[in-house]
Amino acid sequence: MEENMPLQQLVQYFNDRFEVEHQSNIRPFILEKGLVSGIFGPIQISSVFDAVRRTDDNEKLSGHIAQLSVTPYDNNQHSQQSIEIGDLLTDVITQPADFQSIISLDRLCRTVHMLNYLTYSNKGGVLFLDVDPRHILGIKQDHGAYFEEIIIKCGLATQNIVISMAVNSFYALHHAQLLDGLNNYRQRGYQIALNIGSLYAAHGLRDLINKVSANYLRISAPDTATIQHSNSNWLLTLNALTELQRLIGGQTILQQVKQKNQADIAISARFNLAQGDYYDKLVTDHLRCL
């Protein structure tokens, strides 16, 4: 394993590797003011890390979720890499997928996240990295092998990385292929998370959740309007999902918690972990009072 390799040296290494792999003079990784970003056609991608905390002790970190920070990029040249970014960065498939572009974008994003995570890794816990399901479907075998080389080069281990896949009813149709891909990751030591962005997407996914037996189940908190509808069955759905995940032996994360009434759900529905602005502010305010 590589140890204490300077960030600038790592950026140069991955730029060199990219040039060789793609047989081009494109060097997509940039280091500015200690932050790494990647250029992909008309966009510049960097990282934001959201803290994942224990619901029974908000000051204890269990890890971080890597989020994309995307800004327009214009170097006054037309890039051959130019793509339909809106299609690749959303869960909605509006046209036939260009799997190679998705794979390239996914790999670029994860490399950027790993490089930026080096300053966070000493905080402990795991790193959740989103992988597009179309990436998993687009690769036929050895899922995670390419990324494993990146992780090792950064001096980290696959055991601390959680491959997180968004799920909805469309992807449930391809559960056999997705299961094979996720098991490939698992065999290399990665942990697995399923990310349910909406409770409406949870319907019909119970079988997939059961088969995957993920280490983590990520569920977005219901919004205020949903919480106020007393005739809604959202709480029953949440309780059923947290109970299913407990029986599997995994943990649950309530994410995007912005208000106290959402945080209350994390306790009442027995979520193990939580993420959101509400907890960040709570911890910050507490530290100010010390």
Side-chain angles (χ1 to χ4, degrees), residues 59-162:
E59 292 184 33
K60 290 193 176 176
L61 281 176
S62 291
H64 291 84
I65 297 172
Q67 304 276 16
L68 285 178
S69 169
V70 180
T71 54
Y73 177 74
D74 181 14
N75 62 352
N76 298 319
Q77 296 178 6
H78 292 291
S79 171
Q80 292 182 343
Q81 287 180 288
S82 187
I83 55 168
E84 290 293 331
I85 297 300
D87 181 48
L88 295 183
L89 295 183
T90 62
D91 293 332
V92 180
I93 299 179
T94 57
Q95 59 188 39
D98 177 353
F99 283 121
Q100 194 53 53
S101 289
I102 293 163
I103 291 166
S104 297
L105 177 60
D106 245 23
R107 286 175 171 171
L108 182 91
C109 292
R110 282 189 278 166
T111 303
V112 167
H113 288 328
M114 288 306 304
L115 290 169
N116 285 323
Y117 183 64
L118 292 178
T119 58
Y120 284 79
S121 58
N122 62 349
K123 297 178 186 290
V126 296
L127 175 64
F128 293 85
L129 286 172
D130 290 313
V131 177
D132 194 306
R134 290 168 289 178
H135 180 138
I136 297 173
L137 293 172
I139 293 178
K140 302 306 177 189
Q141 59 187 6
D142 293 333
H143 295 76
Y146 183 97
F147 189 40
E148 184 176 1
E149 293 178 24
I150 295 170
I151 293 167
I152 291 172
K153 193 71 182 178
C154 290
L156 300 172
T158 56
Q159 285 80 1
N160 292 326
I161 306 300
V162 183

Side-chain angles (χ1 to χ4, degrees), residues 224-242:
T224 301
T226 300
I227 294 171
Q228 289 173 346
H229 290 156
S230 57
N231 61 344
S232 173
N233 65 352
W234 58 266
L235 190 54
L236 290 175
T237 302
L238 278 180
N239 282 321
L241 289 172
T242 55

